[in-house]
Amino acid sequence: MVSLLRTIRSVRRVGLREWWRQMQYIGDAKSGTYVGKDQFGNRYFENRNGEEEIPGRHRWVDFAQHDFNATQVPPEWHSWISHIRKEPPTNDSVMQNLSPPWQAPYVENLTGTRGAYKPYNTVVPKINAWEPSVKPRA
């Protein structure tokens, strides 16, 4: 009965469509205040009252892509979700002044995709494979 009550309460808070999307993606319906958005389009939320949340799990990310992985969370947002820093990067003046303009933007880990780094060898191999040579008959 408690889970049915929690389900009804979640549908009322976030709406039927958002509730269904959350159940499909993260397997749980969460509602909280919107904190910010990163360069990948991920949205970050926080539920301060925490009446229904497990302690320490009142901050979460809503990934922009359906096929997501953890490397799509930039370091400044990861530190906020992990409770390393108190203020989110959007409200933290130190984080906004910290990154120099010459620094490249954060790039997710592309291993297993077409954009993955592929090294190449420029050294001549020490051992060459045998290639048979056929002499023409006279």
Side-chain angles (χ1 to χ4, degrees):
M1 192 66 174
V2 174
S3 62
L4 180 62
L5 182 63
R6 184 173 187 267
T7 303
I8 293 169
R9 193 178 306 141
S10 296
V11 170
R12 283 185 184 164
R13 285 183 188 158
V14 297
L16 186 61
R17 184 175 185 174
E18 180 65 20
W19 175 82
W20 181 255
R21 193 183 74 73
Q22 285 181 3
M23 293 304 287
Q24 296 300 313
Y25 285 134
I26 62 175
D28 189 16
K30 293 178 166 265
S31 62
T33 58
Y34 175 76
V35 176
K37 189 175 183 180
D38 67 2
Q39 65 192 18
F40 296 117
N42 302 328
R43 299 179 307 159
Y44 298 89
F45 295 93
E46 182 175 30
N47 187 354
R48 283 282 183 164
N49 17 349
E51 68 233 7
E52 295 179 356
E53 301 296 331
I54 298 171
R57 298 213 178 167
H58 60 277
R59 295 177 180 173
W60 68 93
V61 58
D62 184 13
F63 289 98
Q65 298 178 3
H66 178 64
D67 188 23
F68 58 86
N69 67 34
T71 63
Q72 293 173 342
V73 178
E76 59 269 10
W77 283 105
H78 178 267
S79 62
W80 177 75
I81 286 178
S82 303
H83 300 280
I84 296 171
R85 66 176 54 251
K86 185 176 181 180
E87 295 295 322
T90 54
N91 299 345
D92 195 358
S93 60
V94 174
M95 279 305 297
Q96 292 176 354
N97 296 330
L98 184 65
S99 58
W102 50 264
Q103 185 178 9
Y106 176 74
V107 179
E108 64 180 297
N109 186 355
L110 299 173
T111 302
T113 64
R114 298 185 90 200
Y117 173 73
K118 293 184 181 110
Y120 60 93
N121 193 357
T122 59
V123 180
V124 178
K126 292 180 181 179
I127 300 172
N128 293 325
W130 177 71
E131 295 179 17
S133 58
V134 179
K135 295 181 181 179
R137 291 186 177 186

